[in-house]
């Protein structure tokens, strides 16, 4: 049986790994074909550490071919362009692929919520190119600011606004604060530290949606003490060049604007012609299958899966994608004639957000941690999530190096 997986991200790559790894007697007949636009798995939770030089950028990725080196798994670097559910085939940039079972895990893209000017003026944080570009732009600004004798112009060059104070926005603001004040000001000697400004913008009344209130309060105090300009209740109406206009009539200027306010499902799932939610995610049944098509599964950021307890849709998170991959792997490896498995049930293991070096907030089951202890837990959890001994060693080396030496400031352009 040919199982075709679309997307080599958390859901797709880990599903292929589970299907290749435990090739039990019931799954011997499974031939897995993974179709992915990239030939690597990008560990998105570490993208910010790549920007600020805590982790070497090449170490943010794992080659799919080494991760999935199993006899029954084939990798094709190609882009899926369309899906024909009736004929059970996919059109890709490199020809047609037929399937018996299809697993769609194409992830998500940035959601600008139709805010005029946002797409044109903002940087995004979704892929490796975004990491390289944002890092280069920040260093470029410091180079220019270092040559600038006019104080006002230097301030303009060193102002950075982040729109969206969820975990990504918060980690980016605090990470960049650390990088700027602990590393960059040391080497850019004409830059006045008081000219560096980081603005964190949030439409709602608090940061880190979904986190425990005590942790949110702690994080807000920490951010304010870092002199990051936190603007709550500030919904963005439009962006004109480098001017951010709020619905309350106020404006703010920033030379660099990063949009971390939301995501929407990859447009590939729109082609299925099934109901989508407000984030463009396709609705699936309790077994993660496309309604009316038991041979098609949708996983990760592209699927709308209600939480079995609350009925609320599960958030777009790596831990959701990983648990779904494991669930579908078990389903596919099951021999014929067995009872259908129980519906998919997400078990939240915790929530983690770093707040710059040696600071974080974490909640694990009913336990809450802040500061250095939370930061240590944050790193330990991610170290265990990183697959492969080689990757773990590289990560530990990068982190240890960043603890004792200055982060890299090379502008590679
Ligand atoms: C900056 C950042 C930080 C994050 N931090 C955390 C965190 O700390 N904790 C957490 O739980 N989650 C975090 N997330 C969210 C998490 O990374 C996602 O929820 C997770 O990656 C979703 O997995 P996925 O497999 O659905 O999509 P992805 O991992 O995005 O993978 C999708 C894959 O599909 C491929 N693809 C797309 N279209 C096609 C096509 N047409 N043809 C072929 N291939 C295609 C893409 O190239 C990609 O490889 C973070 C996300 C970002 C952006």
């Amino acid at each position: 049986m040919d199982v075709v997986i679309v997307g080599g991200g958390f859901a797709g790559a880990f599903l292929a790994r589970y299907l290749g790894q435990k090739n039990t007697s019931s799954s011997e007949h499974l031939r897995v074909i993974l179709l992915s636009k990239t030939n690597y798995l990008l560990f998105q939770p570490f993208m910010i550490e790549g920007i600020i030089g805590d982790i070497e950028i090449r170490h943010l990725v794992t080659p799919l071919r080494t991760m999935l080196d199993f006899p029954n798994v084939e990798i094709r670097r190609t882009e899926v362009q369309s899906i024909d559910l009736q004929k059970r085939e996919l059109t890709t940039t490199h020809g047609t692929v037929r399937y018996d079972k299809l697993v769609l895990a194409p992830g998500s893209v940035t959601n600008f919520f139709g805010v005029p000017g946002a797409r044109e003026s903002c940087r995004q944080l979704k892929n490796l190119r975004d990491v390289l570009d944002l890092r280069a732009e920040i260093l470029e600004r410091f180079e220019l600011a270092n040559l600038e004798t006019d104080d006002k112009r230097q301030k303009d060059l060193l102002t950075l606004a982040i729109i969206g104070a969820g975990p990504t926005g918060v980690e980016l603001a605090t990470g960049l604060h650390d990088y700027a004040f602990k590393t960059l000001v040391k080497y850019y000697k004409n830059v006045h530290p008081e000219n560096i400004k980081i603005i964190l913008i949030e439409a709602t009344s608090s940061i880190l949606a979904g986190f425990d209130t005590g942790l949110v309060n702690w994080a807000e105090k920490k951010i304010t003490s870092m002199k990051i300009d936190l603007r709550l209740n500030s919904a963005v109406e439009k962006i004109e060049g480098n001017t951010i206009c709020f619905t309350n009539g106020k404006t703010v200027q920033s030379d660099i604007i990063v949009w971390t306010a939301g995501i929407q499902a990859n447009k590939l799932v729109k082609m299925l012609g099934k109901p989508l939610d407000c984030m463009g995610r396709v609705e699936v049944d309790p077994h993660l299958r496309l309604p009316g098509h038991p041979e098609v599964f949708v996983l990760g950021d592209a699927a709308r899966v209600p939480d079995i307890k609350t009925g609320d849709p599960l958030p777009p998170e790596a831990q959701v994608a990983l648990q779904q991959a494991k669930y579908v792997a078990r389903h596919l490896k099951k021999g014929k004639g067995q009872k259908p498995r129980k519906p998919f049930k997400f078990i939240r293991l915790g929530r983690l957000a770093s707040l710059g070096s040696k600071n974080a907030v974490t909640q694990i089951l009913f336990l809450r941690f802040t500061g250095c202890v939370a930061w240590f837990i944050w790193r330990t959890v991610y170290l265990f999530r990183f697959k492969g001994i080689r990757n773990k060693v590289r990560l530990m080396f990068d982190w240890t190096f960043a603890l004792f030496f200055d982060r890299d400031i090379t502008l590679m352009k």
Side-chain angles (χ1 to χ4, degrees):
M1 182 170 68
D2 283 354
V3 178
V4 175
I5 303 172
V6 180
F10 274 98
F14 277 88
L15 171 62
R17 190 174 166 89
Y18 295 138
L19 292 176
Q21 217 168 27
K22 295 173 194 142
N23 201 10
T24 57
S25 55
S26 60
S27 66
E28 260 161 22
H29 60 292
L30 292 184
R31 177 173 165 243
V32 180
I33 303 168
L34 178 75
L35 309 176
S36 179
K37 273 203 297 197
T38 57
N39 82 342
Y40 53 77
L41 164 74
L42 170 63
F43 204 86
Q44 293 179 354
F46 285 160
M47 282 162 77
I48 292 155
E49 299 218 22
I51 294 167
I52 65 172
D54 266 4
I55 299 179
E56 179 63 43
I57 289 184
R58 218 173 52 76
H59 298 172
L60 304 177
V61 296
T62 304
L64 288 172
R65 289 181 197 285
T66 52
M67 177 182 172
L68 303 172
D69 185 20
F70 303 109
N72 65 331
V73 179
E74 184 192 332
I75 295 151
R76 298 187 194 169
R77 193 176 84 83
T78 188
E79 182 170 351
V80 175
Q81 293 172 314
S82 66
I83 305 160
D84 190 328
L85 291 174
Q86 260 55 51
K87 287 191 192 156
R88 296 195 179 186
E89 61 181 39
L90 307 170
T91 310
T92 76
T93 38
H94 298 85
T96 303
V97 182
R98 279 196 49 77
Y99 63 82
D100 298 306
K101 298 273 183 193
L102 174 65
V103 183
L104 290 171
S108 54
V109 294
T110 304
N111 190 350
F112 292 104
F113 299 101
V115 171
R119 186 178 295 279
E120 298 76 21
S121 301
C122 297
R123 292 206 164 272
Q124 327 176 18
L125 210 48
K126 274 309 283 177
N127 56 44
L128 199 55
R129 187 76 260 155
D130 299 335
V131 173
L132 293 163
D133 288 349
L134 182 55
R135 180 176 160 78
E137 178 154 16
I138 287 161
L139 290 169
E140 183 85 71
R141 298 277 161 177
F142 269 81
E143 292 294 344
L144 291 171
N146 203 52
L147 297 170
E148 195 53 70
T149 47
D150 179 67
D151 216 40
K152 157 90 178 64
R153 188 61 205 133
Q154 187 175 89
K155 255 188 197 137
D156 289 346
L157 283 166
L158 299 174
T159 300
L160 179 139
I162 298 159
I163 301 174
T168 303
V170 166
E171 289 190 357
L172 183 62
T174 51
L176 285 176
H177 179 278
D178 246 32
Y179 189 42
F181 287 96
K182 293 195 180 141
T183 307
L184 297 177
V185 291
K186 233 167 116 178
Y187 297 102
Y188 290 87
K189 299 197 190 306
N190 296 330
V191 163
H192 305 297
E194 60 278 12
N195 286 344
I196 304 169
K197 188 167 187 187
I198 298 172
I199 308 165
L200 181 57
I201 296 163
E202 170 57 41
T204 68
S205 58
S206 67
I207 62 169
L208 295 174
F211 277 67
D212 177 87
T213 317
L215 295 182
V216 171
N217 293 340
W218 192 90
E220 281 182 6
K221 271 194 204 132
K222 187 82 211 163
I223 287 172
T224 315
S225 75
M226 291 166 106
K227 304 225 166 13
I228 290 173
D229 182 358
L230 176 61
R231 300 189 181 203
L232 299 173
N233 300 306
S234 301
V236 176
E237 186 180 45
K238 59 180 175 179
I239 302 173
E240 289 171 343
N242 63 356
T243 306
I244 305 168
C245 309
F246 298 103
T247 47
N248 59 13
K250 290 184 181 167
T251 60
V252 72
Q253 306 266 333
S254 176
D255 264 24
I256 313 179
I257 310 172
V258 190
W259 186 275
T260 59
I263 56 134
Q264 59 186 335
N266 188 301
K267 64 179 188 310
L268 208 58
V269 293
K270 212 173 168 180
M271 293 177 195
L272 299 169
K274 300 284 176 187
L276 305 176
D277 71 358
C278 60
M279 283 168 64
R281 297 177 295 186
V282 68
E283 291 180 18
V284 291
D285 73 11
H287 299 272
L288 308 179
R289 295 171 307 190
L290 193 65
H293 288 273
E295 75 287 3
V296 181
F297 296 83
V298 190
L299 314 185
D301 287 2
R304 184 190 192 280
V305 183
D307 188 306
I308 210 159
K309 277 198 220 139
T310 62
D312 295 336
L314 294 174
E317 290 178 11
Q319 57 178 320
V320 174
L322 290 173
Q323 289 184 28
Q324 291 177 338
K326 205 169 245 175
Y327 174 87
V328 171
R330 285 205 197 109
H331 184 104
L332 290 172
K333 284 197 282 189
K334 203 164 50 76
K336 278 186 183 164
Q338 287 185 26
K339 281 196 297 192
R341 284 181 50 75
K342 287 184 193 155
F344 171 73
K345 186 177 172 196
F346 171 63
I347 298 167
R348 176 163 292 288
L349 302 170
R351 290 184 199 271
L352 315 158
S354 87
L355 297 167
S357 80
K358 302 194 189 72
N359 261 307
V361 283
T362 62
Q363 53 190 83
I364 295 175
L365 302 173
F366 54 87
L367 300 170
R368 308 283 179 265
F369 302 95
T370 55
C372 200
V373 178
W375 175 79
F376 185 75
I377 295 171
W378 181 87
R379 286 209 157 174
T380 312
V381 167
Y382 279 116
L383 184 64
F384 277 101
R385 272 220 196 142
F386 225 43
K387 287 291 164 210
I389 273 290
R390 202 172 69 152
N391 291 339
K392 284 186 204 290
V393 171
R394 286 200 308 202
L395 184 62
M396 280 198 293
F397 180 79
D398 283 353
W399 277 344
T400 312
F401 197 84
L403 278 179
F404 296 105
F405 299 96
D406 281 337
R407 294 151 166 149
D408 181 55
I409 58 166
T410 319
L411 169 58
M412 285 198 263
K413 214 174 167 189

